[in-house]
Structures are given as C-alpha cells and as structure tokens.
C-alpha cells in the first residue's frame, strides 16, 4: 500500500513536471494541459464542452481561419510567420481570467488580440512560444444616454461603437479612428484618434472607467486598480499591463448636420502653396474643422488631397475657408452635408457613401482581408518651408509608391497637458505624419523594396520633425524604432522605443509596470520594461 502511494506520487510529480515545464511543450501537450486547467478554473460557469469549443489546437480544422480572420497585414500571413500553440476565444470574463492563470502557470506568453490591426502583427505573432487570446467574442456595447456613456467590451470594433451610438442618438458621437474594423482593445489602450480630435481630443481623453484582468487573473475596475494603472491603460498600451476587458467612455455631442469634403490638387494646380497654407491653418482654425492632408506620388507629380469634416453646415465652412484658406478654393459644390453617422461612412469608405451605404455596413467585420503594408510616424513642430516641400516632392516621386498623411493637431489637443495620459504629443505639435505604403506582391523582393521606401523617406524627413526624442505614435506600431529581444526584459532596449512613444511619461509607465507586473508576464516586442 505504502509502495503504491509512493509510486503514484512519483508518477504524479513526473507528470506534473513534464506537463508544466516550458521546454517540454509541444502544441499537443500544451493543448491538453491548457484545456484541463481552463476547465478546472471555469468549472463554476462553463461546461467542459464549452471550453473545448473556445480553444483551438493547431490540428483543429478551424485553426487557420480563426487565425487569419483578424490578420490585417498580409506580411504576417505567410507559412514562415510564427504560429500560436493554441488560440483561445473567450465568451465571458471568467474565460479570460482562467486563460491568464493557466497560460502563466505553463510559462507561456499570451498575445492579446482585439481587432488585429497592429501594423507589425504584435497581437498575433511572437519571437517566443505563445498562445493567442482572441477577444472577438467579447464585444458587448451598452449605451446609457442619460449619463452620456457607453460600456464597450474590447473585442468590439469601432464601427460597432459608432453604430450603437447612432441607434440611440443622432446627436452623440465618439472620437475614434476612421477605419471601422479597428478593434477597441488596441486602439483605445494606445491612444486612438480620428476626425473629432481637434474638438474633443483622443479616445483616451474620454475614458472614465475600465475593467482589466491582471497577471493574477483578478478583474479590477478603476477603483480597485487605482489611478496609476488606470492612467497607464489610457495610452500606454494595454498589453504591458493585463487584458483590458472593457472601457467605459463618455460620449460627445455632434450637430444634426455636419459637412464633409475632399479637394484634390496636383503640383500644376499650386498644390505646394496649398500645403504651405495648410500648415498655418489646419492646426489653428476653428476646432470644429478637421482637415487631413494626403500626399501621394504620381509619375512626375504629387497629388495633394484635403479630406475634411466640419461640425456644422456647408455655408459656414465655405466662408471660414474663403477667409482663412483661400488656396483651398473650397466651393459649396465640393461639400456634402450629412448626419454624423453619414460622415463616419464617408470617412471610412467614400464609394460606399456615394452608393448610399446604410449604417449597418459599419458592423461588417471584413474577416480575413488585408494587403501588405508598412507604416511609420513622426511629429512636425515647425512648418516645412516651400523650398523643403519641393525637395520632398522630388524625393517622393523618385521613391514612387510611399505616401504621407498629415493629421493636424491644435484645438483640444493643445489644451490637455502632456502627462494627463501616457500619450504625450500635445501642445507644440502642428501635425502628425503617417508614412504609408501598401502593396499586393507577396515576394520578398517587394517587401524589401517597399519597406526600404519607408526607411528612405523617414531618413529624408529627419530635419523637419521632432528630435530628442524623435517622437512616434504607439498605435502606428513600428518595430524599426526599437525592440525588446526574445526572453529579455532589457530596460535599455525598452527605453529606446519607450521614450519615442511616451517622451517624459515613460518613467511613470515603467514604475507602474514594475509594481503591477514585476515578473514581466505581460510582455511583447515593445512592451514597457520592468526596472527593479
Ligand atoms: C486600416 C487601419 C486604420 C487605422 N486607422 C486609425 C485611426 O484612424 N486612428 C488611430 O488612432 N489608429 C488607427 N489605426 C491604428 C490602430 O489604432 C492600431 O493598430 C490599434 O492598436 C489596433 O487595435 P486592434 O485592437 O485592432 O489591434 P490588435 O492588433 O488586436 O492590438 C494592438 C495592440 O494592442 C494590444 N491589445 C489589443 N487588445 C487588448 C486588450 N483587450 N487588452 C490589452 N492589450 C490589448 C495587442 O496585444 C497589441 O499589442 C489604424 C490601423 C489600421 C490597420
Ligand atoms: C466556484 O464556486 C465555489 C462555491 O460557490 C467558490 O467557493 C469558488 O471560489 C468558485 N471558484 C471560482 C474559480 O470562481
Ligand atoms: C492569408 O493567406 C491565405 C492563403 O494562404 C489567403 O487565402 C488569405 O486571404 C490571406 N489573408 C490575409 C489576411 O492576408
Ligand atoms: C453580452 O450581453 C448579453 C445580452 O445582454 C449577455 O447575455 C451576455 O452575457 C453578455 N456577454 C458578456 C461577455 O458580457
Ligand atoms: C501550476 O499549477 C499547479 C497545479 O495547481 C501547481 O502545482 C504549480 O505550482 C503551478 N505552477 C506555477 C508556475 O504557477
Ligand atoms: C497658381 O498660382 C499662380 C500664381 O499665383 C496663378 O497665376 C495661377 O492661376 C494658379 N494656378 C491655378 C491652377 O490655380
Ligand atoms: C456629395 O457631393 C457631390 C458634389 O457636390 C455630389 O455630386 C454628390 O451627389 C453628393 N453625394 C451625396 C450622397 O449627397
């Protein structure tokens, strides 16, 4: 009897050691152990069948489609792209808690994916063994019009948020990005901006509460997480701190009628003068006006487009522009008056708007669709001269494909202090630059060619943009600006990209990270490092 007990204890220990030790992990063993652990940890709320249905092994026939559904950059959709050991798709909060507890116990990295729009695929690829916690099922949104708030689960997409607001009210909106498939978990935790930025600031400026699952699997809200952690997950990137389950946001007022317009000019049509004047007007004009500038190379030419939203009627914006921005030559015929939700559709997809698309189109998740792309960002703090713009055109025409997007700041952005949230790029910035190149050729040569264009234009721009640090926008993830390598928690490496994304807020983020996740369980290629 004693002997049997002894043997079974030894066996149990052996099994336990091999099951839980990280070097013995095969996808199959990870799946088995994880399922067992998660079933145990969710026994109160879920059946074992339900748990089996939300965990996808590599051998599951649906594994590939679940993985590809939220890949938004085809560069990370190749056979050589790293693949998760398993994908977990929580249906309720307890599944997230259990997943964190079990994956941590097995010493496996978790990558958290909401909408999958990370430009470098950081939410679904890794340089160490990992699982994906894919939150697309956690997408409830509840709007409370009396309080002018909405509770939004992080697996929701922006289009669903805009749609839900529209269902409840035609005079409320939310300041977030223009592309309706972007996920809440990524975009809000790292800032979030759109065409209401000059009037209402960033998405994070409207967050009043949040729920997060921490590295011990506990669910915390604003009160129980405390103001430090609550500050950190409003722009510091959620994935350094835990799994954000929901954000509670304050809605904003929008008028019944708003105006959108797009004006395009080539170099022969004095586009250069237009850009010179845009730099003076766009960041300083009435904060109801948001005018994005698109610069696209054409053979021996550059096409300049001004794409705008005005929170008011066409006559008023035409008269403001006549006075302040004569180079634009805006006429009422260039304008479309519409509702706020109409302007969301127009900004998301001008063709769809023209064809009379309904707000329901904002619910379409466009699964498994992407192009190859590379993005980078910069901040411009003093206007670029006409002579320098002409050199820029020459450079862009020579490179041939890469374009630039200028997004004006000022207005509300300049009124919010640079340490109110981790996002530091406030007063003093005229506009943000996005470098934007997309392509369809899957060859390595094409990748080399287009990413080289991005690097070359970025180098060219260095005299004209912020310096020490050369600032960048976390939501425009760019691994060229620094990376924390496999298995390391290098403060020095973290500081390189950290200062660019967060400027003087980096130190506070490091302190908070060190306090809430001292073992650096929640980590990725550009997470906040721990410093003891
Ligand atoms: C087509 C397109 C248009 C865009 N337009 C805009 C725009 O107008 N304005 C703007 O500000 N940005 C824009 N972006 C950038 C976008 O905001 C970021 O890529 C954002 O991080 C994407 O969020 P996601 O949930 O879709 O991405 P994911 O890839 O799922 O996540 C991005 C990062 O956030 C982490 N994360 C995601 N969910 C959670 C969570 N619940 N808890 C903790 N961490 C989490 C991930 O681990 C990853 O590190 C655009 C991107 C694309 C591809
Ligand atoms: C499950 O329910 C029991 C009894 O109500 C409780 O003691 C236990 O903490 C619960 N477990 C989890 C993981 O919630
Ligand atoms: C990924 O690649 C597959 C082919 O292997 C293709 O069918 C799919 O559309 C691609 N998806 C994305 C998002 O690139
Ligand atoms: C989402 O809302 C539905 C309907 O109110 C509810 O049944 C469900 O439990 C909610 N899901 C989560 C994950 O909160
Ligand atoms: C994992 O869980 C097992 C079983 O509950 C426990 O014995 C072990 O200590 C845990 N390991 C870690 C690293 O948390
Ligand atoms: C461009 O500017 C010049 C000089 O101001 C002017 O003569 C010309 O008419 C402008 N061209 C267009 C197309 O507006
Ligand atoms: C938008 O404005 C353009 C230019 O005036 C016009 O041709 C078009 O019909 C308008 N579209 C809608 C949907 O109002």
């Amino acid at each position: 009897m004693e002997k049997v007990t002894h043997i079974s204890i030894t066996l149990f220990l052996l099994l336990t050691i091999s099951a839980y030790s990280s070097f013995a992990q095969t996808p199959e063993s990870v799946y088995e152990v994880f399922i067992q652990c998660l079933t145990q940890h969710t026994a109160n709320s879920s059946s074992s069948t339900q748990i089996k249905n939300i965990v996808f092994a590599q051998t599951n026939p649906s594994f590939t489609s679940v993985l590809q559904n939220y890949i938004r950059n085809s560069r990370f959709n190749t056979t050589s792209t790293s693949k998760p050991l398993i994908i977990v798709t929580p249906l309720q909060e307890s599944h997230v808690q259990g997943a964190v507890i079990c994956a941590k116990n097995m010493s496996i990295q978790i990558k958290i994916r909401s909408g999958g729009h990370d430009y470098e695929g950081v939410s679904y690829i890794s340089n160490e063994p990992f699982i994906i916690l894919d939150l697309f099922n956690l997408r409830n949104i509840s709007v409370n019009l009396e309080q002018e708030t909405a509770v939004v689960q992080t697996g929701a997409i922006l289009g669903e948020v805009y749609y839900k607001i529209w269902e409840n009210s035609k005079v409320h909106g939310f300041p977030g990005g223009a592309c309706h498939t972007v996920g809440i978990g990524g975009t809000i935790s790292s800032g979030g901006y759109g065409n209401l930025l000059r009037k209402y600031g960033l998405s994070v400026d409207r967050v009043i509460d949040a729920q997060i699952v921490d590295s011990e699997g506990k669910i915390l809200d604003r009160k129980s997480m405390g103001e430090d952690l609550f500050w950190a997950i409003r722009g510091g990137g959620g994935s350094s701190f835990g799994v954000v389950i929901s954000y509670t946001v304050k809605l904003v007022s929008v008028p019944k009628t708003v105006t959108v317009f797009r004006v395009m000019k080539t170099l022969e049509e004095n586009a250069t003068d237009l850009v010179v004047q845009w730099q003076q007007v766009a960041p300083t004009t009435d904060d109801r006006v948001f005018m994005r500038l698109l610069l696209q190379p054409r053979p021996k030419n550059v096409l300049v487009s001004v794409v705008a939203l005005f929170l008011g009627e066409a006559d008023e914006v035409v008269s403001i522009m006549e006075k302040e921005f004569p180079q634009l030559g805006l006429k009422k015929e260039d304008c479309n008056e519409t509702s706020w939700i109409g302007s969301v559709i127009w900004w998301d997809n001008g063709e769809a708007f023209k064809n009379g698309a309904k707000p329901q189109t904002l619910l379409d998740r466009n699964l498994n669709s992407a192009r190859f792309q590379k993005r980078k960002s910069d901040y411009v703090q003093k206007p670029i001269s006409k002579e320098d713009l002409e050199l820029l055109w020459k450079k862009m025409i020579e490179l041939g494909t890469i374009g630039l997007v200028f997004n004006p700041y000022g207005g509300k952005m300049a009124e919010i202090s640079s340490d109110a949230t981790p996002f530091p790029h406030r007063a003093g910035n005229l506009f943000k630059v996005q470098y934007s190149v997309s392509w369809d050729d899957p060859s390595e040569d094409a990748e080399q060619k287009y990413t080289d264009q991005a690097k070359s234009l970025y180098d060219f721009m260095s005299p004209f943009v912020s310096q020490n640090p050369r600032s960048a926008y976390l939501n425009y993830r760019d691994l060229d600006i620094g990376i924390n390598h496999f298995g390391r928690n290098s403060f020095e490496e973290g500081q390189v990209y950290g200062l660019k994304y967060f400027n003087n807020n980096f130190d506070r983020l490091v302190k908070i990270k060190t306090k809430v996740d001292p073992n650096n369980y929640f980590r990725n290629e550009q997470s906040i490092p721990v410093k003891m």
Side-chain angles (χ1 to χ4, degrees):
M1 188 65 192
E2 238 186 273
K3 206 169 176 187
V4 172
T5 311
H6 186 78
I7 288 171
S8 66
I9 285 176
T10 310
L11 207 77
F12 173 74
L13 279 177
L14 272 173
L15 280 174
T16 308
I17 287 166
S18 67
Y20 287 106
S21 64
S22 52
F23 45 84
Q25 284 163 346
T26 64
E28 294 74 24
S29 73
V30 166
Y31 176 76
E32 292 304 329
V33 175
F34 187 88
I35 283 276
Q36 211 175 32
C37 175
L38 188 60
T39 305
Q40 229 172 58
H41 277 276
T42 54
N44 285 0
S45 59
S46 308
S47 67
S48 64
T49 315
Q50 194 180 25
I51 294 305
K52 285 210 175 74
N53 287 337
I54 63 163
V55 182
F56 295 83
Q58 289 182 349
T59 49
N60 187 311
S62 301
F63 179 86
T64 300
S65 69
V66 173
L67 179 62
Q68 288 178 357
N69 277 348
Y70 295 95
I71 288 180
R72 298 305 190 179
N73 188 342
S74 300
R75 284 172 63 201
F76 310 110
N77 181 37
T78 70
T79 45
S80 60
T81 305
S82 60
K83 302 284 184 295
L85 295 160
I86 52 175
I87 304 172
V88 187
T89 62
L91 289 165
Q92 53 199 50
E93 291 153 359
S94 61
H95 298 161
V96 177
Q97 296 177 278
V100 168
I101 291 167
C102 296
K104 191 178 157 195
N105 182 296
M106 296 162 76
S107 301
I108 301 177
Q109 184 190 31
I110 280 187
K111 286 293 185 124
I112 308 158
R113 182 161 77 171
S114 286
H117 283 60
D118 192 293
Y119 282 121
E120 299 275 18
V122 163
S123 56
Y124 55 88
I125 63 177
S126 182
N127 51 21
E128 54 181 299
F130 70 110
I131 72 173
I132 295 178
L133 194 58
D134 205 330
L135 300 179
F136 62 87
N137 283 320
L138 285 183
R139 59 166 93 158
N140 279 356
I141 299 169
S142 60
V143 172
N144 182 331
L145 217 46
E146 248 153 60
Q147 293 175 3
E148 301 186 293
T149 59
V151 182
V152 184
Q153 287 186 328
T154 45
I157 58 175
L158 281 170
E160 291 163 351
V161 176
Y162 301 148
Y163 180 85
K164 276 281 178 182
I165 294 172
W166 171 81
E167 265 191 333
N168 283 273
S169 162
K170 307 298 179 262
V171 291
H172 284 86
F174 179 69
C179 169
H180 82 274
T181 53
V182 166
I184 293 303
T187 195
I188 298 195
S189 70
S190 300
Y193 85 95
N195 53 27
L196 297 177
L197 158 118
R198 302 190 66 254
K199 176 74 178 169
Y200 289 117
L202 302 174
S203 302
V204 284
D205 298 330
R206 310 296 301 175
V207 171
I208 56 170
D209 207 335
Q211 278 183 304
I212 188 171
V213 171
D214 73 4
S215 62
E216 269 150 33
K218 288 204 210 71
I219 296 189
L220 309 173
D221 65 3
R222 178 174 185 169
K223 196 155 173 243
S224 52
M225 79 178 82
E227 288 303 303
D228 271 339
L229 182 52
F230 182 61
W231 177 84
I233 58 170
R234 282 176 294 154
S239 49
S240 294
F241 301 97
V243 185
V244 183
I245 298 285
S246 71
Y247 282 108
T248 305
V249 300
K250 199 88 184 151
L251 306 181
V252 301
S253 301
V254 292
K256 275 214 171 67
T257 302
V258 305
T259 302
V260 291
F261 64 81
R262 173 188 287 260
V263 172
M264 298 197 274
K265 296 209 192 276
T266 56
L267 295 181
E268 305 80 61
E269 296 167 313
N270 296 338
T272 312
D273 292 327
L274 179 144
V275 177
V276 169
Q277 199 163 63
W278 179 91
Q279 294 180 91
Q280 292 156 4
V281 179
T284 57
T285 187
D286 191 310
D287 60 14
R288 292 171 299 162
V289 182
F290 181 83
M291 290 187 280
R292 170 178 283 179
L293 200 65
L294 299 177
L295 308 170
Q296 293 159 296
R298 293 287 180 265
K300 298 192 181 145
N301 213 329
V302 173
L303 181 64
V304 173
S305 313
V306 177
V307 182
L309 170 72
F310 174 63
L311 294 171
E313 293 176 6
D315 284 332
E316 192 182 355
V317 74
V318 169
S319 92
I320 295 174
M321 291 300 124
E322 267 171 4
K323 226 177 292 152
E324 297 183 19
F325 195 4
Q327 287 290 343
L328 183 64
L330 183 68
K331 298 183 200 62
K332 194 167 177 187
E333 304 87 82
D334 301 322
C335 299
N336 281 111
E337 288 185 334
T338 179
S339 60
W340 177 72
I341 202 74
S343 76
V344 170
I345 297 168
W346 187 87
W347 271 78
D348 184 52
N349 183 341
E351 278 306 302
F353 177 83
K354 234 186 237 156
N355 299 331
K358 298 269 171 319
Q360 279 75 3
T361 56
L362 298 171
L363 304 177
D364 194 340
R365 289 182 163 238
N366 303 338
L367 298 180
N368 192 357
S369 70
R371 300 184 68 198
F372 294 79
Q373 43 192 345
K374 175 65 192 173
R375 299 289 187 273
K376 301 175 78 66
S377 61
D378 257 321
Y379 283 90
V380 171
Q381 298 170 331
K382 50 184 200 301
I384 305 171
S385 71
K386 185 166 177 181
E387 293 69 36
D388 287 333
L389 287 174
E390 277 159 357
L391 294 175
L392 173 59
W393 307 156
K394 200 169 152 249
K395 181 75 183 172
M396 290 177 74
I397 292 166
E398 175 195 308
L399 291 171
T401 310
I402 188 163
L404 296 175
V405 185
F406 292 179
N407 288 288
Y409 277 24
K412 184 78 176 173
M413 286 300 278
E415 292 163 18
I416 297 173
S417 79
S418 62
D419 62 1
T421 71
F423 178 98
H425 321 293
R426 306 280 188 167
N429 291 290
L430 295 176
F431 56 94
K432 175 176 64 196
V433 180
Q434 185 191 59
Y435 301 74
S436 170
V437 60
S438 303
W439 64 97
D440 297 309
D441 174 352
S443 72
E444 275 175 38
D445 285 354
E447 166 145 357
Q448 190 70 44
K449 173 177 157 190
Y450 294 113
T451 53
D452 280 354
Q453 285 194 15
K455 285 189 179 129
S456 176
L457 193 57
Y458 187 75
D459 286 346
F460 175 88
M461 287 294 284
S462 51
F464 312 121
V465 298
S466 65
Q467 273 152 39
N468 302 316
R470 184 171 182 175
S471 293
Y473 175 39
L474 181 59
N475 262 329
Y476 288 173
R477 173 96 57 201
D478 178 7
L479 296 185
D480 301 347
I481 67 169
I483 182 170
N484 231 312
H485 288 89
F486 178 93
R488 285 189 220 159
N489 165 47
S490 162
F491 176 76
E492 283 68 32
E493 285 184 347
Q495 199 172 29
V496 174
Y497 53 81
L499 288 173
K500 291 171 184 161
Y501 286 136
F502 308 113
N503 300 4
N504 293 333
N505 293 327
F506 177 65
D507 282 349
R508 184 172 174 198
L509 286 169
V510 171
K511 285 200 185 89
I512 296 167
K513 166 74 179 179
T514 306
K515 188 159 163 243
V516 305
D517 185 23
N519 296 321
N520 197 30
Y521 180 63
F522 288 110
R523 63 187 177 275
N524 63 52
E525 291 75 355
Q526 286 189 332
S527 52
I528 307 294
V530 168
K531 191 183 183 197
M532 290 302 174

